[in-house]
């Protein structure tokens, strides 16, 4: 995981989660990449593996964090869900059980138990349809990426101007 | 006729996806099936036709928790096939990398997966609310293991710096120095971990396992040694398949391994410890003694103490290697392929991991056999569960289900590795 700019707890941190080699699972990475390329960006961006310690470290001493991830659900590919994990435990879609580590849902709840949840935290979850190995991002998910980026930019600007994401 | 069925649809706090089905007929345990439904991985099949130098990076993808084990077994099998022995500084660096994986994997299991069972918590998230300092210690220990993996492996998960013949890049002494400072903290934290877990309440249940592990030659085993057991097995790695069979069972995607001449056997920390306790570092031995752990331990639940001792040993050993480190003249040695079969067995955190490869003169892999620790333990897990259910058959389903899950977690199974692996179904008839 490499932060694209020097970290500062006054700037929002955008964390893209996913696997570039698993179809729609790459959407978090892709959103983060596009946001990192933007000139005069008022945010820091990083890519993280879906692993508890790495995620908690990424947002350590950060006041505002925006996380982008894909989800596998039934029926509405491209659907964007905006969740605020600071309010309370996430619903079942994020209670992930990963075969190889402690994932995002676990990271957020462990952070809450340890008092390490960022003061402001928003989670953008994009529903995917194709998570097969080697696949590209599906057209349904590709289509909504600009919308996700636009919403994240608006939230980031709110933070920078001293506002509250919620 | 009464028929009772207990199912655990998805075993929590284990690596991967498995289930358990218990059938009880007229008050007697009829069947215990540990179902590993994580899909087959087909790694052995797609290694065929690949270059022998690709094996460490391909097999590392089998597991995100123990990629180093796969890499170490792969490179050593290829080097053995090609008649190459790496210089001692490279061997030491591999041992240091393996210490990182032991620390990272064991800390995860001790603190996040296993300890909540002894303290009455549903999981580490609940435990963290009452004892944040303890959970933080576990996370920091895991982080130190990850640091070793990053420095030597190039990254924490699926390292990329390991190659047949050595490494792509080796560190300078100066680059290892900051690691030593972290390791000193970790060594103290590991001692605290041993003291913490040794105070848990353990069930008195013991079993006369056949323990199978590498037997170290003057050192606690990590990357090499003969394969030995407490029942007289003492074989070279190349003889492993002559003594161990793997059988398909209809309800599981993992193969069941057994010693042909006898039956089930146990690999992992308890096996390593029972065969090699005398080879631990003086500090690890003294700490084990202080914790009340004898040189022989047949109580599976106490494997959490043994894992903690192994974390301590790994910290001690890492510090020794860092202190004595002298960089190799070259990061790797040349390995020229030849028509051969190579064998290697190393001690993954969960037990012995066996690889066999047949390569041709161009270095193309013709055949590959990988036998991970969890599939070797699967039969033993089922036998432990059967004994538990016979003993506790009058318990209600929920309590029995919880006890079964605890037993399985004591093994620290890596279901993902075993598939080529919980849900508990209890059927009474």
């Amino acid at each position: 995981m490499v932060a694209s700019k020097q970290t500062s707890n006054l700037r929002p941190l955008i964390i893209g989660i996913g696997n570039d080699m698993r179809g729609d699972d790459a959407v978090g990475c892709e959103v983060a990449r596009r946001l990192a390329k933007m000139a005069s960006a008022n945010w820091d961006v990083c890519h993280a593996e879906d692993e508890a310690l790495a995620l908690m470290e990424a947002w350590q001493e950060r006041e505002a964090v925006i996380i982008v991830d894909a989800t596998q659900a039934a029926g509405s590919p491209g659907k964007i869900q905006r969740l605020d994990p600071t309010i309370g435990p996430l619903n079942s879609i994020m209670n992930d059980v990963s075969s190889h580590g402690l994932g995002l849902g676990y990271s957020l709840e462990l952070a809450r138990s340890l008092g390490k949840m960022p003061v402001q935290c928003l989670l953008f979850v994009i529903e995917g349809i194709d998570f097969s190995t080697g696949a590209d991002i599906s057209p349904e998910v590709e289509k909504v990426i600009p919308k996700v980026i636009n919403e994240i930019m608006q939230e980031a600007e709110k933070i920078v101007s001293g506002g509250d994401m919620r | 006729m009464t028929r009772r069925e207990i199912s655990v649809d998805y075993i929590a706090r284990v690596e991967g996806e498995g289930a358990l089905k218990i059938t009880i007929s007229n008050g007697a345990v009829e069947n215990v099936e540990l179902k590993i439904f994580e899909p087959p991985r087909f790694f052995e099949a797609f290694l065929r036709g690949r270059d022998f130098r690709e094996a460490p990076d391909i097999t590392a993808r089998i597991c995100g928790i123990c990629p180093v084990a796969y890499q170490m077994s792969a490179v050593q099998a290829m080097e053995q096939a090609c008649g190459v022995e790496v210089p001692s500084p490279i061997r030491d660096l591999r041992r240091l990398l393996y210490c990182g994986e032991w620390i990272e994997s064991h800390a995860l299991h001790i603190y996040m997966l296993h300890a909540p069972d002894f303290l009455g918590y549903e999981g580490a998230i609940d435990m963290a609310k009452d004892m944040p300092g303890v959970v933080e210690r576990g996370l920091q220990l895991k982080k130190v293991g990850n640091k070793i993996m990053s420095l030597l492996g190039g990254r924490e998960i699926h390292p990329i710096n390991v190659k047949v013949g050595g490494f792509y890049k080796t560190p300078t002494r100066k680059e290892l120095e900051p690691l030593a400072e972290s390791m000193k903290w970790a060594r103290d934290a590991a001692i605290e971990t041993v003291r913490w877990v040794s105070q848990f309440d353990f069930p008195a249940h013991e079993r006369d396992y056949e323990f199978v592990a590498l037997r170290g030659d003057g050192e606690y085993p990590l990357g090499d040694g003969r394969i030995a057991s407490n029942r007289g097995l003492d074989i070279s790695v190349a003889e492993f398949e002559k003594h161990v069979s793997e059988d398909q069972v209809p309800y599981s995607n993992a193969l069941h391994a057994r010693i042909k001449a006898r039956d089930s056997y146990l690999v992992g920390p308890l096996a390593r410890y029972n065969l090699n306790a005398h080879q631990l570092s003086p500090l690890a031995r003294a700490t084990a003694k202080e914790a009340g752990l004898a040189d022989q331990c047949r109580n599976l639940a106490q494997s959490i103490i043994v894992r903690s001792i192994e974390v301590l040993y790994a910290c001690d050993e890492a510090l020794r290697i860092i202190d004595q480190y002298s960089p190799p003249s070259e990061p790797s040695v040349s390995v020229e392929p030849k028509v051969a079969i190579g064998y290697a067995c190393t001690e993954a955190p969960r037990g012995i991991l066996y690889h066999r490869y047949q390569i041709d003169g161009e270095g193309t892999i013709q055949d590959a056999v990988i036998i991970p620790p969890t599939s070797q333990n699967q039969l033993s897990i089922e036998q432990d569960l059967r004994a538990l259910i016979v003993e506790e058959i009058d318990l209600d389903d929920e309590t029995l289900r919880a006890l079964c899950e605890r037993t399985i977690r004591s093994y620290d199974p890596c279901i993902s590795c075993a598939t080529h692996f919980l849900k508990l179904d209890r059927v009474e008839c």
Side-chain angles (χ1 to χ4, degrees):
Chain A
M1 169 170 45
V2 179
S4 64
K5 296 190 182 200
Q6 190 172 9
T7 57
S8 156
N9 63 358
L10 300 174
R11 296 159 64 93
L13 174 68
I14 298 159
I15 305 176
I17 296 176
N19 183 338
D20 269 327
M21 298 176 73
R22 295 295 296 268
D24 289 338
D25 196 34
V27 66
C29 314
E30 182 59 22
V31 167
R33 264 192 299 270
R34 294 190 198 182
L35 282 162
K37 283 180 188 168
M38 291 183 178
S40 68
N42 279 325
W43 49 77
D44 298 319
V45 179
C46 73
H47 166 248
E49 297 281 346
D50 189 7
E51 201 278 323
L53 196 59
L55 285 166
M56 282 201 292
E57 271 188 26
W59 69 57
Q60 196 173 11
E61 295 177 16
R62 291 286 186 152
E63 288 185 7
V65 172
I66 300 172
I67 302 168
V68 197
D69 198 4
T71 187
Q72 194 164 18
S76 310
K79 181 182 174 185
I80 303 165
Q81 287 197 67
R82 183 185 147 127
L83 309 166
D84 183 348
T86 64
I87 294 170
L90 296 166
N91 66 26
S92 60
I93 70 158
M94 294 311 299
N95 289 334
D96 50 340
V97 181
S98 165
S99 63
H100 282 104
L102 313 169
L104 175 59
Y106 193 97
S107 311
L108 289 165
E109 291 317 308
L110 191 58
R112 192 193 314 282
S113 292
L114 292 170
K116 293 192 166 186
M117 181 79 86
V119 178
Q120 298 186 67
C121 186
L122 266 185
L123 178 58
F124 285 85
V125 182
I126 300 122
E127 187 175 325
I129 186 171
D130 182 2
F131 292 82
S132 51
T133 306
D136 292 329
I137 294 175
S138 68
E140 292 93 333
V141 169
E142 182 69 48
K143 195 173 145 187
V144 302
I145 290 178
K147 186 170 190 288
V148 176
I149 289 174
N150 192 43
E151 287 189 28
I152 289 174
M153 286 170 62
Q154 286 177 27
E155 296 301 341
E157 291 302 333
K158 271 191 217 168
I159 297 163
V160 172
S161 59
D164 192 310
M165 290 193 288
R166 292 163 292 187
Chain B
M1 178 186 281
T2 61
R3 186 178 177 88
R4 184 177 173 200
E5 177 177 318
I6 301 176
S7 338
V8 176
D9 292 340
Y10 198 104
I11 297 176
R13 287 188 270 133
V14 296
E15 295 296 331
E17 297 171 352
L20 180 63
K21 181 179 180 181
I22 300 167
T23 307
I24 299 170
S25 180
N26 290 328
V29 181
E30 185 179 273
N31 212 14
V32 175
E33 294 178 350
L34 184 61
K35 301 177 181 177
I36 295 180
F37 56 80
E38 177 129 347
R41 311 282 296 278
F42 304 118
F43 271 85
E44 290 154 319
F46 62 68
L47 278 160
R48 289 182 210 133
R50 309 297 299 217
D51 187 85
F52 77 117
R53 284 165 289 234
E54 292 182 287
D57 289 328
I58 292 174
T59 57
R61 289 283 168 173
I62 292 174
C63 185
I65 297 293
C66 49
V68 170
Y70 283 92
Q71 291 193 318
M72 293 298 113
S73 289
V75 294
Q76 291 182 186
M78 296 307 183
E79 289 157 7
Q80 197 252 354
C82 302
V84 169
E85 196 166 319
V86 299
S88 61
I90 290 175
R91 180 186 183 273
D92 285 346
L93 282 176
R94 286 178 173 175
R95 197 166 168 86
L96 179 58
L97 181 58
Y98 226 141
C99 285
E101 182 161 283
W102 274 27
I103 294 168
E104 176 260 334
S105 176
H106 279 355
L108 175 73
H109 189 260
I110 294 165
Y111 283 89
M112 300 291 141
L113 307 177
H114 205 189
D117 279 341
F118 296 94
L119 300 171
Y121 293 102
E122 201 169 310
I125 290 169
D126 291 329
M127 195 171 85
K129 290 173 188 161
D130 290 342
M131 39 181 78
V134 169
V135 172
E136 287 267 22
R137 183 175 66 208
L139 290 171
Q140 290 309 312
L141 257 175
K142 185 176 182 300
K143 185 178 171 184
V144 174
N146 287 352
K147 263 182 153 175
I148 300 179
M149 306 267 283
S150 292
L151 183 65
L152 290 181
R155 60 185 184 191
E156 293 171 6
I157 304 173
H158 304 132
I160 48 169
N161 191 31
V162 173
K163 65 184 284 196
V164 176
F167 291 88
Y168 289 97
K169 181 178 179 292
T170 48
T172 61
R173 271 194 67 85
K174 198 173 173 57
E175 284 171 322
L176 284 185
E177 277 169 14
L179 207 53
E181 290 309 307
S182 302
M183 295 312 307
K184 287 175 188 163
W185 174 87
R187 185 170 58 183
D188 291 342
I191 294 171
E192 289 305 311
T193 304
V194 175
R195 290 175 180 156
W196 178 56
V197 300
S198 63
Q199 290 165 15
F200 293 169
D201 284 331
F202 295 100
H205 185 78
E206 292 191 341
R207 181 176 154 197
D208 188 17
Y209 296 100
E210 175 159 3
F211 296 116
V212 174
L214 292 178
R215 180 168 279 148
D217 183 13
E219 61 188 5
Y220 201 75
L222 274 159
D224 43 44
R226 286 176 68 79
I227 299 171
S229 88
N230 54 332
R231 296 201 185 141
L233 189 73
D234 183 5
I235 56 172
S236 69
V237 173
E239 296 173 296
F240 186 63
E241 289 175 75
K242 288 182 194 162
H243 295 266
V244 171
S245 66
E246 280 196 298
D247 306 310
Q248 180 75 55
V249 289
Y251 52 84
S252 177
N253 288 335
L255 297 169
H256 276 198
R258 67 179 77 226
I259 292 180
K260 289 175 184 173
R262 290 178 291 277
D263 190 33
S264 68
Y265 61 100
L266 181 86
V267 301
L270 215 54
R272 279 193 294 265
Y273 181 83
N274 277 277
L275 269 60
N276 296 281
H278 62 286
Q279 310 213 69
L280 286 165
S281 61
L283 178 63
R285 288 208 75 185
T287 308
K289 190 176 178 185
E290 181 199 319
L293 194 68
D295 278 2
Q296 297 295 304
C297 174
R298 292 175 176 176
N299 186 333
L300 183 70
Q302 288 183 319
S303 63
I304 193 170
I305 310 178
V306 176
R307 270 187 200 91
S308 307
I309 293 288
E310 288 195 334
V311 172
L312 173 57
Y313 173 76
C315 295
D316 235 7
E317 179 68 353
L319 278 165
R320 183 194 68 77
I321 292 169
I322 293 168
D323 183 56
Q324 296 177 2
Y325 177 62
S326 174
S329 53
E330 297 293 334
S332 66
V333 294
S334 174
V335 182
E336 294 304 320
K338 62 180 185 183
V339 178
I341 298 175
Y343 309 84
C345 187
T346 67
E347 284 285 357
R350 292 158 185 82
I352 55 172
L353 170 62
Y354 170 84
H355 285 211
R356 167 171 61 79
Y357 299 98
Q358 181 182 347
I359 59 172
D360 67 14
E362 304 297 313
T364 305
I365 298 171
Q366 305 295 308
D367 192 23
V369 171
I370 295 172
I371 306 181
T374 296
S375 71
Q376 299 180 66
N377 277 341
Q378 200 182 343
L379 187 57
S380 185
I381 298 174
E382 287 187 353
Q383 291 171 345
D384 270 352
L385 290 169
R386 180 178 284 271
L388 172 75
I389 295 156
V390 167
E391 204 168 297
E392 307 287 359
I393 201 159
D394 295 330
L395 290 175
D396 62 87
D397 285 7
E398 193 179 337
T399 310
L400 191 54
R401 192 178 285 124
L403 281 175
C404 288
E405 286 204 74
R406 285 184 62 164
T407 301
I408 292 164
R409 279 194 289 272
S410 293
Y411 277 88
D412 186 17
C414 187
I415 290 171
S416 308
C417 287
T419 50
H420 323 253
F421 180 25
L422 228 36
K423 190 177 171 181
L424 166 64
D425 287 332
R426 167 158 152 172
V427 182
E428 280 223 16
C429 51

